[in-house]
Amino acid sequence: MFPQSTDSLFARANTLLGAAKGAGSVDQQTLAELQQLMNALIEATLGADDWLIVPGNGRAVESLLYLVDRMLEGRSSSPLCDCGVRSAVLVVQRMPADVAQVCSQGGDEASVLGLRIVDSCLSKLVDVCDETERKLSAFVATAADEHTSGAAENDVTDVLHAALASIEGLGACFERMSLGHDGLLNSPAIWKSVLEGTSALALYLVRSFECACKLFTHCNQAALKRRSRYAAVSNSLYKASGKLMDQVSAVFSAEAHLAADSGRKRSLLERFCGYALSAHKSIMNSPPQFKAVWKALCVIVTSFSAASFDGSGLCLKVYMQSCETVRTLATQAVSVLRRSSASDLGDQKLQRRLKGILAFVRFIVFQMSSLLARIQNSAVGANHAEVVSAAMPMLNTLLGELTTAQLLASMPKDVAAMIDHLVST
């Protein structure tokens, strides 16, 4: 049997939750009581330092997870969902400091409980995140109509708050699981699913990263960014999504995860890299996030030990995209310089813009030597023709057009016009 206090807390919370589900809504008083009950139940069940090994505590943990699951069912933007997100995060934060050892052993009750908690809470949080992203995506795609009804605006606001809660919740969970050398996210255990019916933690990291990238992009759209009703929460979601992208990028590019090989690890790293490669243009407006993601991408494709990783051609794809991105950025700098005169070059705003573009170029070019080395040492052999053909347009823009534009901008306009005409003919 449960301890009586735990049993009564569960019964009351389950009754309130059932009534709210049946009515289809919940008032603030009931919601506040339910949150208090959940906090008390979590404290009663998980409060002791040795709660994972307390005999018979497994049933209490399973009942707690049952309540969290029920709250996170249905509408992702409901008050019950918010309560469920907070409860799920609090449960994960109660995991012991040596959580990696607990979750990687398998078999004993403590390991089973640890695995169930991580899988149940993270799967629900990621599901909420995915659902809110789909709703925001639909809104952004149809937001040309400025005369959105009040009810529709309330719905969007609720979805933004739910997305923020789930993203911040995932970030808090990942932060808790990365503390110390023995943190779960620093352990090979993230690539395993030793308990039947659970998924590898790395899968939730990848899904969280994909969702965060999408939300990050949505928040930069005019439909959310320029409407005062959404601006504050959208800005908070933008920052939280960027932070989560940084967290996941740091985990996957850590040396501890790039040595041993397994089919699951290879598959998930390829999925992460593939998505980062496809999404990088949408995050270039934020240099810190772009650099964190791009650096992680380059570290993974050049350092992951699996020989079969070379066979995917992923490193070559990153190299070719690097060349294309550098060429595009250099072209932007050329365009700015061609519209500028010698006197314009002293303008602080113009200088900041050019420095920003060239800083991106320098950062990407700096990573390219390691990409080339991995391509040349590939077990399947490098395709030198593709390497050269990708580099030539980039070099032509950098060493030709950009240099010419810089020289012309520093000359008197009439002389620059004559030289430009001569070069173009």
Side-chain angles (χ1 to χ4, degrees), residues 262-274:
S262 70
R264 175 176 291 159
K265 179 190 287 191
R266 185 165 60 253
S267 174
L268 289 173
L269 284 178
E270 285 183 350
R271 175 172 168 177
F272 169 81
C273 291

PDB file of all heavy atoms in Angstrom, residues 262-274:
ATOM      1  N   SER A 262      27.646   2.944 -32.844  1.00  0.00           N
ATOM      2  CA  SER A 262      26.525   2.002 -32.831  1.00  0.00           C
ATOM      3  C   SER A 262      25.565   2.447 -33.917  1.00  0.00           C
ATOM      4  O   SER A 262      25.578   3.609 -34.327  1.00  0.00           O
ATOM      5  CB  SER A 262      25.815   1.987 -31.467  1.00  0.00           C
ATOM      6  OG  SER A 262      25.113   3.199 -31.264  1.00  0.00           O
ATOM      7  N   GLY A 263      24.758   1.514 -34.376  1.00  0.00           N
ATOM      8  CA  GLY A 263      23.814   1.872 -35.436  1.00  0.00           C
ATOM      9  C   GLY A 263      22.866   2.976 -35.018  1.00  0.00           C
ATOM     10  O   GLY A 263      22.570   3.891 -35.793  1.00  0.00           O
ATOM     11  N   ARG A 264      22.385   2.919 -33.773  1.00  0.00           N
ATOM     12  CA  ARG A 264      21.440   3.928 -33.289  1.00  0.00           C
ATOM     13  C   ARG A 264      22.127   5.294 -33.183  1.00  0.00           C
ATOM     14  O   ARG A 264      21.574   6.315 -33.580  1.00  0.00           O
ATOM     15  CB  ARG A 264      20.873   3.519 -31.940  1.00  0.00           C
ATOM     16  CG  ARG A 264      19.962   4.573 -31.319  1.00  0.00           C
ATOM     17  CD  ARG A 264      19.362   4.062 -30.032  1.00  0.00           C
ATOM     18  NE  ARG A 264      18.403   3.008 -30.285  1.00  0.00           N
ATOM     19  CZ  ARG A 264      18.020   2.117 -29.367  1.00  0.00           C
ATOM     20  NH1 ARG A 264      18.527   2.170 -28.159  1.00  0.00           N
ATOM     21  NH2 ARG A 264      17.140   1.186 -29.663  1.00  0.00           N
ATOM     22  N   LYS A 265      23.332   5.316 -32.615  1.00  0.00           N
ATOM     23  CA  LYS A 265      24.047   6.585 -32.484  1.00  0.00           C
ATOM     24  C   LYS A 265      24.300   7.202 -33.857  1.00  0.00           C
ATOM     25  O   LYS A 265      24.081   8.401 -34.061  1.00  0.00           O
ATOM     26  CB  LYS A 265      25.380   6.384 -31.761  1.00  0.00           C
ATOM     27  CG  LYS A 265      26.171   7.688 -31.614  1.00  0.00           C
ATOM     28  CD  LYS A 265      27.595   7.468 -31.128  1.00  0.00           C
ATOM     29  CE  LYS A 265      27.642   7.103 -29.668  1.00  0.00           C
ATOM     30  NZ  LYS A 265      29.040   7.150 -29.141  1.00  0.00           N
ATOM     31  N   ARG A 266      24.766   6.399 -34.788  1.00  0.00           N
ATOM     32  CA  ARG A 266      25.047   6.893 -36.141  1.00  0.00           C
ATOM     33  C   ARG A 266      23.795   7.472 -36.779  1.00  0.00           C
ATOM     34  O   ARG A 266      23.807   8.555 -37.369  1.00  0.00           O
ATOM     35  CB  ARG A 266      25.623   5.763 -36.994  1.00  0.00           C
ATOM     36  CG  ARG A 266      26.067   6.191 -38.381  1.00  0.00           C
ATOM     37  CD  ARG A 266      26.942   5.113 -39.002  1.00  0.00           C
ATOM     38  NE  ARG A 266      26.259   3.829 -39.132  1.00  0.00           N
ATOM     39  CZ  ARG A 266      26.501   2.762 -38.372  1.00  0.00           C
ATOM     40  NH1 ARG A 266      27.376   2.826 -37.394  1.00  0.00           N
ATOM     41  NH2 ARG A 266      25.853   1.636 -38.568  1.00  0.00           N
ATOM     42  N   SER A 267      22.688   6.765 -36.625  1.00  0.00           N
ATOM     43  CA  SER A 267      21.426   7.212 -37.215  1.00  0.00           C
ATOM     44  C   SER A 267      20.960   8.533 -36.609  1.00  0.00           C
ATOM     45  O   SER A 267      20.539   9.449 -37.327  1.00  0.00           O
ATOM     46  CB  SER A 267      20.355   6.134 -37.012  1.00  0.00           C
ATOM     47  OG  SER A 267      19.097   6.584 -37.439  1.00  0.00           O
ATOM     48  N   LEU A 268      21.036   8.660 -35.283  1.00  0.00           N
ATOM     49  CA  LEU A 268      20.562   9.875 -34.628  1.00  0.00           C
ATOM     50  C   LEU A 268      21.488  11.060 -34.889  1.00  0.00           C
ATOM     51  O   LEU A 268      21.023  12.190 -35.060  1.00  0.00           O
ATOM     52  CB  LEU A 268      20.425   9.633 -33.120  1.00  0.00           C
ATOM     53  CG  LEU A 268      19.272   8.716 -32.715  1.00  0.00           C
ATOM     54  CD1 LEU A 268      19.322   8.391 -31.233  1.00  0.00           C
ATOM     55  CD2 LEU A 268      17.925   9.348 -33.066  1.00  0.00           C
ATOM     56  N   LEU A 269      22.795  10.813 -34.942  1.00  0.00           N
ATOM     57  CA  LEU A 269      23.722  11.900 -35.263  1.00  0.00           C
ATOM     58  C   LEU A 269      23.528  12.371 -36.708  1.00  0.00           C
ATOM     59  O   LEU A 269      23.612  13.571 -36.993  1.00  0.00           O
ATOM     60  CB  LEU A 269      25.167  11.459 -35.040  1.00  0.00           C
ATOM     61  CG  LEU A 269      25.638  11.398 -33.589  1.00  0.00           C
ATOM     62  CD1 LEU A 269      27.078  10.901 -33.502  1.00  0.00           C
ATOM     63  CD2 LEU A 269      25.515  12.762 -32.906  1.00  0.00           C
ATOM     64  N   GLU A 270      23.275  11.441 -37.607  1.00  0.00           N
ATOM     65  CA  GLU A 270      22.994  11.831 -38.995  1.00  0.00           C
ATOM     66  C   GLU A 270      21.700  12.636 -39.077  1.00  0.00           C
ATOM     67  O   GLU A 270      21.621  13.614 -39.831  1.00  0.00           O
ATOM     68  CB  GLU A 270      22.906  10.585 -39.884  1.00  0.00           C
ATOM     69  CG  GLU A 270      24.249   9.960 -40.189  1.00  0.00           C
ATOM     70  CD  GLU A 270      24.134   8.772 -41.142  1.00  0.00           C
ATOM     71  OE1 GLU A 270      22.997   8.334 -41.403  1.00  0.00           O
ATOM     72  OE2 GLU A 270      25.178   8.291 -41.611  1.00  0.00           O
ATOM     73  N   ARG A 271      20.716  12.255 -38.287  1.00  0.00           N
ATOM     74  CA  ARG A 271      19.459  13.013 -38.281  1.00  0.00           C
ATOM     75  C   ARG A 271      19.691  14.424 -37.744  1.00  0.00           C
ATOM     76  O   ARG A 271      19.187  15.403 -38.312  1.00  0.00           O
ATOM     77  CB  ARG A 271      18.421  12.278 -37.428  1.00  0.00           C
ATOM     78  CG  ARG A 271      17.102  13.033 -37.259  1.00  0.00           C
ATOM     79  CD  ARG A 271      16.062  12.173 -36.584  1.00  0.00           C
ATOM     80  NE  ARG A 271      14.899  12.964 -36.173  1.00  0.00           N
ATOM     81  CZ  ARG A 271      13.800  12.448 -35.606  1.00  0.00           C
ATOM     82  NH1 ARG A 271      13.716  11.142 -35.419  1.00  0.00           N
ATOM     83  NH2 ARG A 271      12.795  13.235 -35.246  1.00  0.00           N
ATOM     84  N   PHE A 272      20.442  14.540 -36.643  1.00  0.00           N
ATOM     85  CA  PHE A 272      20.748  15.858 -36.083  1.00  0.00           C
ATOM     86  C   PHE A 272      21.500  16.717 -37.104  1.00  0.00           C
ATOM     87  O   PHE A 272      21.157  17.876 -37.342  1.00  0.00           O
ATOM     88  CB  PHE A 272      21.574  15.703 -34.809  1.00  0.00           C
ATOM     89  CG  PHE A 272      22.153  16.998 -34.304  1.00  0.00           C
ATOM     90  CD1 PHE A 272      21.378  17.872 -33.559  1.00  0.00           C
ATOM     91  CD2 PHE A 272      23.473  17.339 -34.584  1.00  0.00           C
ATOM     92  CE1 PHE A 272      21.912  19.079 -33.097  1.00  0.00           C
ATOM     93  CE2 PHE A 272      24.004  18.544 -34.131  1.00  0.00           C
ATOM     94  CZ  PHE A 272      23.222  19.411 -33.385  1.00  0.00           C
ATOM     95  N   CYS A 273      22.542  16.146 -37.691  1.00  0.00           N
ATOM     96  CA  CYS A 273      23.359  16.902 -38.648  1.00  0.00           C
ATOM     97  C   CYS A 273      22.554  17.288 -39.885  1.00  0.00           C
ATOM     98  O   CYS A 273      22.675  18.411 -40.392  1.00  0.00           O
ATOM     99  CB  CYS A 273      24.577  16.076 -39.062  1.00  0.00           C
ATOM    100  SG  CYS A 273      25.794  15.842 -37.749  1.00  0.00           S
ATOM    101  N   GLY A 274      21.734  16.363 -40.363  1.00  0.00           N
ATOM    102  CA  GLY A 274      20.915  16.666 -41.532  1.00  0.00           C
ATOM    103  C   GLY A 274      19.961  17.809 -41.281  1.00  0.00           C
ATOM    104  O   GLY A 274      19.781  18.699 -42.130  1.00  0.00           O
TER     105      GLY A 274
END
